[in-house]
Amino acid sequence: MLPRYGEPMHTGGAETRAGGAVLGIAAALAVLGIAELVAAFVNPRSSPVFAVGSLAIDLAPSWVKDSMISLFGTADKVALFVILGVVLLVLAIVAGAVEVAWRGFGMVVLIGVSAVALLAILTRAEATPLWALPTGLGTIAGLWVLHRGRPKAVAWRAAVVSRNAESAPAALRDEPGPHRSAGVVHPKQRSAKFERRSFLVFVGATSAAALIVGVGARVKNAGSAAYLAARSAIRLPAPATAAPAVQAGAQLDVPGISPLITPNADFYRIDIALQVPRIDPSAWRLEISGLVDTPMTITYDELLALPLEEHITTIACVSNTVGGDLIDTATWLGYPIRELLERAGVSRDADMVLSSGPDGFTAGTPLETLTDPDRYALLAVGMNGEPLPAEHGFPARLIVPGLYGYVSATKWVTRLEVTRFADAEGYWTPRGWSELGPIKTASRIDTPRSGANASGDTIAIAGVAWAQHTGIDRVEVQVDGGEWQQATLASAISDDTWVQWTLAWPSSPGRHTARVRATDRSGYTQTAATAPPPPNGATGWDSVEFTV
Ligand SMILES: Nc1nc2c(c(=O)[nH]1)N[C@H]1C(S)=C(S)[C@@H](COP(=O)(O)O)O[C@H]1N2
Ligand SMILES: [Mo]
């Protein structure tokens, strides 16, 4: 390369010029690596790579899209990311080179590129302000790499310049130039070799760290992104049999009482899955095997094409303590498990269905319960009008009225093995929980809350009671050890759902204790005897202490 006017022959040369480019690439990797990592926590779709790609797709004129598809076929997305990658590489090299030449200017380039990415992210339809975080923090990491790397690049160049100057002919050495100190190596200046190594170690280490973090997070985010895209593209069919309209009298107007139908976001969640399985519905299959005439599999699309039923069911966890909140109600959309089993043709010898999920969970459910024509045991795909959320078993799960979740409600279900209790057992059975898990009749006080300060002449003591598949007959409340008073029951949706109840209690100042007990339609009244959840569900009366 020819020296420019006023530039001495013995500059750092091409060797150190590459340093700027390398520094820029390290900074870009840091931006992307940190952004992917943060996106794994915020939302996989908040990743700048994903968002810029989506924006490019949205903005590309249709002739570009068409020619991309005709050129690359189904690899058009890959091609798009390759193009984006090349553009990014060029920008990174420019930013690094500019930064080494003029301190701070490469940072301006980086911030400019990040601002464009932020624009792409925040204009996504589902974006929230939080989505700026991955790119924001990534940019800070990139700026840090430029800031820390530049002095090393500059020191390397200076060392090379001095070395070259020393070995240059005397005439050249004496020529004045902006980069030199008359060819004298300053005693504190280290060798070019040392400076080069120090620079390369820095960019190498930061790039490697960014790559490891970024690729790891990207793999995770890509999986979740595909799942999210698939889930949001699903349109559930209208039910062939809709749930009955909830009567106005089913939901009491009492502040603090549990909503009759639990919003998905508030629904309790219990499972052994360390990471919520993200299942691609197009790859999902349910296999029905074991003691059947015709083993079969069903795909998600086949399932959605069946006449689906909607049922409102309250499910509960056996681990729920007295007064606990591991119980909720939703409108489930699905296909009767009974019909599926009928298609497969169940052997007379069988008495249990062992259902399994990808997390290693299994549930052993009595065949009798699943085939009961009066019990709406569902292979569910919908929850409160949307596809099951990932946490609640997307793409499909079992919902069996009247049984605790551990023996019935398998999420992300992939297999129904028709078998016998004598030959198989569910996940929790060898871990100290009963083989059978019918839900125990129980009741809970929602308001007043324990320790609350209530006021008013009359105080509504209210809550929910449940006896799935049997139905609640009455609920009684006792205040301060007095007479049991009958609470007013809201109208029940069905025997499979909890029922709200309330008692208007004429208050008196001071500290009070209220207790509740329910009686179900079989005539059973909740026992006062307390039992812990293991092995088959807690018993005892819920009570609250409050002050007026
Ligand atoms: N795959 C799988 N399904 C599962 C479980 C599990 O650990 N893994 N837990 C069960 C238990 S113990 C309960 S109480 C219910 C809870 O369902 P939810 O998280 O949708 O409320 O899911 C059941 N289904
Ligand atoms: Mo559970």
Side-chain angles (χ1 to χ4, degrees):
M1 183 175 279
L2 286 173
R4 274 180 281 144
Y5 175 76
E7 194 179 355
M9 289 283 275
H10 42 80
T11 59
E15 183 190 1
T16 59
R17 242 170 256 275
V22 171
L23 180 61
I25 293 168
L29 287 174
V31 176
L32 294 179
I34 296 299
E36 284 304 324
L37 180 67
V38 179
F41 296 96
V42 175
N43 184 308
R45 277 141 87 83
S46 66
S47 131
V49 181
F50 198 92
V52 172
S54 308
L55 184 73
I57 293 176
D58 291 355
L59 293 184
S62 57
W63 66 265
V64 173
K65 279 185 219 174
D66 293 348
S67 49
M68 284 281 281
I69 292 169
S70 64
L71 267 176
F72 301 108
T74 49
D76 59 341
K77 304 256 170 357
V78 178
L80 171 69
F81 282 112
V82 170
I83 293 170
L84 283 178
V86 171
V87 171
L88 194 70
L89 186 69
V90 171
L91 289 170
I93 290 173
V94 169
V98 167
E99 178 65 22
V100 172
W102 302 286
R103 185 157 67 100
F105 284 85
M107 295 192 177
V108 173
V109 174
L110 173 60
I111 291 171
V113 175
S114 296
V116 172
L118 274 178
L119 205 70
I121 292 160
L122 295 175
T123 52
R124 295 288 87 206
E126 344 85 301
T128 67
L130 207 62
W131 284 32
L133 208 60
T135 306
L137 294 180
T139 305
I140 290 171
L143 291 173
W144 179 84
V145 170
L146 288 181
H147 172 72
R148 295 299 295 267
R150 182 181 189 273
K152 294 181 191 296
V154 169
W156 172 28
R157 170 176 288 186
V160 170
V161 168
S162 315
R163 183 197 65 199
N164 292 355
E166 262 201 323
S167 58
L172 257 179
R173 220 189 292 160
D174 292 334
E175 192 185 316
H179 296 298
R180 51 191 227 110
S181 43
V184 181
V185 178
H186 193 274
K188 272 205 192 130
Q189 192 162 32
R190 292 180 283 226
S191 77
K193 219 170 145 187
F194 177 93
E195 294 294 2
R196 186 184 63 198
R197 191 187 307 134
S198 154
F199 172 75
L200 290 181
V201 164
F202 175 77
V203 289
T206 51
S207 302
L211 268 174
I212 291 168
V213 167
V215 170
R218 181 69 264 191
V219 167
K220 182 182 177 287
N221 291 346
S224 322
Y227 145 79
L228 280 174
R231 184 175 176 275
S232 61
I234 290 167
R235 296 282 162 270
L236 290 178
T241 312
V246 176
Q247 293 177 42
Q251 170 78 59
L252 297 176
D253 186 20
V254 176
I257 201 167
S258 306
L260 192 57
I261 309 272
T262 316
N264 289 356
D266 301 338
F267 208 97
Y268 87 91
R269 176 190 164 202
I270 291 287
D271 53 63
I272 59 165
L274 269 184
Q275 260 200 346
V276 176
R278 309 276 178 186
I279 297 170
D280 174 0
S282 64
W284 178 86
R285 300 273 182 285
L286 174 70
E287 180 193 315
I288 302 174
S289 60
L291 302 175
V292 291
D293 301 334
T294 355
M296 54 178 268
T297 59
I298 182 165
T299 67
Y300 190 66
D301 286 341
E302 286 166 353
L303 180 54
L304 292 196
L306 293 171
L308 303 184
E309 298 183 3
E310 210 176 40
H311 295 286
I312 305 175
T313 301
T314 300
I315 65 166
C317 184
V318 67
S319 301
N320 200 22
T321 50
V322 173
D325 56 9
L326 300 181
I327 173 164
D328 279 307
T329 304
T331 303
W332 307 96
L333 175 73
Y335 190 67
I337 298 169
R338 168 177 24 91
E339 309 259 350
L340 282 177
L341 293 174
E342 202 166 299
R343 285 196 196 193
V346 171
S347 150
R348 287 165 170 280
D349 300 338
D351 62 4
M352 183 244 251
V353 171
L354 189 75
S355 51
S356 358
D359 53 349
F361 174 85
T362 54
T365 313
L367 194 57
E368 195 190 353
T369 314
L370 294 176
T371 52
D372 179 354
D374 290 335
R375 198 179 307 233
Y376 304 115
L378 291 180
L379 171 60
V381 291
M383 181 176 183
N384 293 331
E386 37 173 300
L388 292 171
E391 298 76 23
H392 297 291
F394 181 81
R397 73 173 303 172
L398 306 186
I399 291 292
V400 183
L403 302 187
Y404 285 122
Y406 82 107
V407 289
S408 69
T410 306
K411 303 190 273 189
W412 317 289
V413 62
T414 52
R415 205 161 99 102
L416 301 182
E417 190 197 345
V418 179
T419 177
R420 289 145 39 93
F421 277 104
D423 299 332
E425 59 184 1
Y427 180 88
W428 287 108
T429 306
R431 293 171 171 82
W433 299 83
S434 303
E435 190 170 67
L436 300 178
I439 297 177
K440 292 179 178 175
T441 296
S443 52
R444 178 177 81 194
I445 300 172
D446 287 338
T447 181
R449 298 211 155 263
S450 230
N453 233 313
S455 59
D457 294 339
T458 351
I459 288 166
I461 301 174
V464 283
W466 57 92
Q468 283 93 321
H469 215 64
T470 305
I472 288 291
D473 181 52
R474 64 175 187 276
V475 170
E476 295 159 293
V477 177
Q478 183 193 52
V479 183
D480 301 329
E483 290 283 295
W484 283 97
Q485 305 171 57
Q486 194 147 335
T488 308
L489 284 187
S491 46
I493 296 176
S494 78
D495 288 350
D496 294 337
T497 59
W498 60 15
V499 187
Q500 295 185 341
W501 55 265
T502 184
L503 178 82
W505 175 67
S507 74
S508 60
R511 279 179 76 80
H512 301 283
T513 303
R515 297 202 283 192
V516 65
R517 70 178 187 197
T519 300
D520 65 28
R521 291 239 189 82
S522 76
Y524 167 81
T525 300
Q526 272 182 266
T527 172
T530 60
N536 59 10
T539 62
W541 295 333
D542 188 21
S543 76
V544 293
E545 275 186 42
F546 61 97
T547 19
V548 178

Short mmCIF file of all heavy atoms in Angstrom, two decimals, residues 452-454 459 480 505 507-513 545-548:
data_model
loop_
_atom_site.label_atom_id
_atom_site.label_comp_id
_atom_site.label_asym_id
_atom_site.label_seq_id
_atom_site.Cartn_x
_atom_site.Cartn_y
_atom_site.Cartn_z
N ALA A 452 -56.77 -10.49 57.91
CA ALA A 452 -57.31 -9.25 57.33
C ALA A 452 -58.02 -8.42 58.38
O ALA A 452 -58.39 -8.90 59.44
CB ALA A 452 -58.28 -9.60 56.20
N ASN A 453 -58.16 -7.14 58.03
CA ASN A 453 -58.92 -6.22 58.84
C ASN A 453 -60.20 -5.92 58.08
O ASN A 453 -60.18 -5.21 57.09
CB ASN A 453 -58.11 -4.93 59.01
CG ASN A 453 -57.98 -4.57 60.46
OD1 ASN A 453 -58.98 -4.59 61.18
ND2 ASN A 453 -56.76 -4.26 60.88
N ALA A 454 -61.30 -6.52 58.50
CA ALA A 454 -62.55 -6.32 57.78
C ALA A 454 -63.35 -5.21 58.44
O ALA A 454 -63.16 -4.91 59.61
CB ALA A 454 -63.35 -7.61 57.77
N ILE A 459 -70.42 -8.59 57.11
CA ILE A 459 -69.22 -8.98 56.37
C ILE A 459 -69.54 -10.25 55.59
O ILE A 459 -70.14 -11.19 56.15
CB ILE A 459 -68.04 -9.18 57.34
CG1 ILE A 459 -67.58 -7.80 57.84
CG2 ILE A 459 -66.87 -9.91 56.67
CD1 ILE A 459 -66.67 -7.86 59.02
N ASP A 480 -66.40 -18.20 65.37
CA ASP A 480 -66.03 -18.24 66.78
C ASP A 480 -66.64 -19.43 67.54
O ASP A 480 -67.08 -19.30 68.68
CB ASP A 480 -66.45 -16.92 67.47
CG ASP A 480 -65.78 -15.72 66.81
OD1 ASP A 480 -64.65 -15.88 66.31
OD2 ASP A 480 -66.40 -14.64 66.78
N TRP A 505 -72.46 -12.19 57.28
CA TRP A 505 -72.30 -12.35 58.74
C TRP A 505 -72.39 -10.97 59.41
O TRP A 505 -71.62 -10.06 59.09
CB TRP A 505 -70.94 -12.98 59.02
CG TRP A 505 -70.60 -13.08 60.47
CD1 TRP A 505 -71.23 -13.85 61.41
CD2 TRP A 505 -69.58 -12.35 61.17
NE1 TRP A 505 -70.65 -13.67 62.64
CE2 TRP A 505 -69.64 -12.75 62.52
CE3 TRP A 505 -68.62 -11.42 60.78
CZ2 TRP A 505 -68.77 -12.22 63.48
CZ3 TRP A 505 -67.75 -10.90 61.73
CH2 TRP A 505 -67.83 -11.31 63.08
N SER A 507 -71.49 -8.39 61.73
CA SER A 507 -70.19 -8.33 62.39
C SER A 507 -70.26 -7.73 63.79
O SER A 507 -71.22 -7.06 64.15
CB SER A 507 -69.22 -7.53 61.54
OG SER A 507 -69.54 -6.16 61.63
N SER A 508 -69.23 -8.03 64.56
CA SER A 508 -69.03 -7.39 65.85
C SER A 508 -67.54 -7.11 65.95
O SER A 508 -66.74 -7.88 65.42
CB SER A 508 -69.51 -8.31 66.97
OG SER A 508 -68.77 -9.50 66.94
N PRO A 509 -67.16 -6.01 66.65
CA PRO A 509 -65.73 -5.66 66.70
C PRO A 509 -64.92 -6.73 67.42
O PRO A 509 -65.45 -7.43 68.28
CB PRO A 509 -65.71 -4.35 67.49
CG PRO A 509 -67.13 -3.89 67.59
CD PRO A 509 -68.00 -5.07 67.40
N GLY A 510 -63.67 -6.83 67.04
CA GLY A 510 -62.78 -7.76 67.71
C GLY A 510 -62.17 -8.78 66.76
O GLY A 510 -62.27 -8.65 65.55
N ARG A 511 -61.51 -9.78 67.35
CA ARG A 511 -60.88 -10.84 66.57
C ARG A 511 -61.85 -12.00 66.40
O ARG A 511 -62.56 -12.35 67.35
CB ARG A 511 -59.64 -11.35 67.30
CG ARG A 511 -58.42 -10.50 67.10
CD ARG A 511 -57.26 -11.10 67.88
NE ARG A 511 -56.72 -12.29 67.20
CZ ARG A 511 -55.89 -12.21 66.17
NH1 ARG A 511 -55.50 -11.03 65.74
NH2 ARG A 511 -55.42 -13.30 65.60
N HIS A 512 -61.87 -12.58 65.21
CA HIS A 512 -62.81 -13.67 64.95
C HIS A 512 -62.14 -14.79 64.17
O HIS A 512 -61.17 -14.57 63.46
CB HIS A 512 -64.01 -13.17 64.16
CG HIS A 512 -64.75 -12.07 64.86
ND1 HIS A 512 -65.61 -12.29 65.90
CD2 HIS A 512 -64.72 -10.72 64.68
CE1 HIS A 512 -66.09 -11.13 66.33
NE2 HIS A 512 -65.55 -10.16 65.61
N THR A 513 -62.74 -15.98 64.33
CA THR A 513 -62.30 -17.13 63.54
C THR A 513 -63.51 -17.70 62.81
O THR A 513 -64.56 -17.89 63.42
CB THR A 513 -61.73 -18.23 64.46
OG1 THR A 513 -60.67 -17.66 65.23
CG2 THR A 513 -61.18 -19.39 63.64
N GLU A 545 -58.60 -16.30 60.47
CA GLU A 545 -58.74 -15.39 61.61
C GLU A 545 -58.69 -13.99 61.07
O GLU A 545 -57.84 -13.68 60.23
CB GLU A 545 -57.57 -15.60 62.58
CG GLU A 545 -57.82 -16.72 63.55
CD GLU A 545 -56.72 -16.80 64.60
OE1 GLU A 545 -56.29 -15.73 65.10
OE2 GLU A 545 -56.29 -17.92 64.87
N PHE A 546 -59.59 -13.17 61.50
CA PHE A 546 -59.61 -11.78 61.02
C PHE A 546 -60.10 -10.85 62.12
O PHE A 546 -60.62 -11.31 63.15
CB PHE A 546 -60.49 -11.67 59.77
CG PHE A 546 -61.92 -12.06 59.98
CD1 PHE A 546 -62.90 -11.09 60.23
CD2 PHE A 546 -62.31 -13.39 59.96
CE1 PHE A 546 -64.23 -11.44 60.43
CE2 PHE A 546 -63.64 -13.75 60.17
CZ PHE A 546 -64.60 -12.78 60.42
N THR A 547 -59.91 -9.58 61.93
CA THR A 547 -60.35 -8.59 62.92
C THR A 547 -61.35 -7.64 62.27
O THR A 547 -61.29 -7.39 61.08
CB THR A 547 -59.18 -7.74 63.47
OG1 THR A 547 -58.09 -7.85 62.58
CG2 THR A 547 -58.76 -8.18 64.83
N VAL A 548 -62.26 -7.18 63.08
CA VAL A 548 -63.24 -6.20 62.59
C VAL A 548 -62.94 -4.87 63.28
O VAL A 548 -62.74 -4.84 64.49
CB VAL A 548 -64.69 -6.64 62.91
CG1 VAL A 548 -65.69 -5.57 62.44
CG2 VAL A 548 -64.98 -7.95 62.23
#
